[in-house]
């Protein structure tokens, strides 16, 4: 069996605010931040305030 090994999936967390409703917590497995954002837009639609990050990246010194 030939399995395509793409980039590893990482966990992204965040919040989405839809209209004037309280924020909804997000937890997404994706290979990149762009992919995670695309999946959120695919599920909830465009035009919402979205904040997504990877905990590992956020805790690294810069």
């Amino acid at each position: 069996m030939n399995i395509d090994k793409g980039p590893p999936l990482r966990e992204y967390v965040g919040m989405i605010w839809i209209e004037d409703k309280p924020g909804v917590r997000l937890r997404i497995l994706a290979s990149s931040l762009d992919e995670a954002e695309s999946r959120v837009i695919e599920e909830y639609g465009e035009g919402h305030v979205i904040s997504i990050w990877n905990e590992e990246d956020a805790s690294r010194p810069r």
Side-chain angles (χ1 to χ4, degrees), residues 1-3 9 14-17 25 27-28 30 33-34 36 42 51 54 59-61:
M1 187 179 342
N2 191 4
I3 298 174
L9 294 180
M15 298 283 291
I16 183 169
W17 291 270
R25 289 181 175 254
R27 188 173 299 257
I28 301 135
L33 181 60
D34 290 337
E42 188 177 296
S51 178
N54 175 273
S59 65
R60 285 190 191 146

Side-chain angles (χ1 to χ4, degrees), residues 18-60:
I18 300 171
E19 297 175 3
D20 60 349
K21 298 176 185 170
V24 175
R25 289 181 175 254
L26 304 170
R27 188 173 299 257
I28 301 135
L29 290 176
S31 59
S32 69
L33 181 60
D34 290 337
E35 181 184 344
E37 185 175 351
S38 293
R39 288 184 180 192
V40 171
I41 291 171
E42 188 177 296
E43 184 173 339
Y44 292 96
E46 292 189 24
H48 308 298
V49 176
I50 302 169
S51 178
I52 303 173
W53 63 92
N54 175 273
E55 291 291 337
E56 292 173 16
D57 290 345
S59 65
R60 285 190 191 146

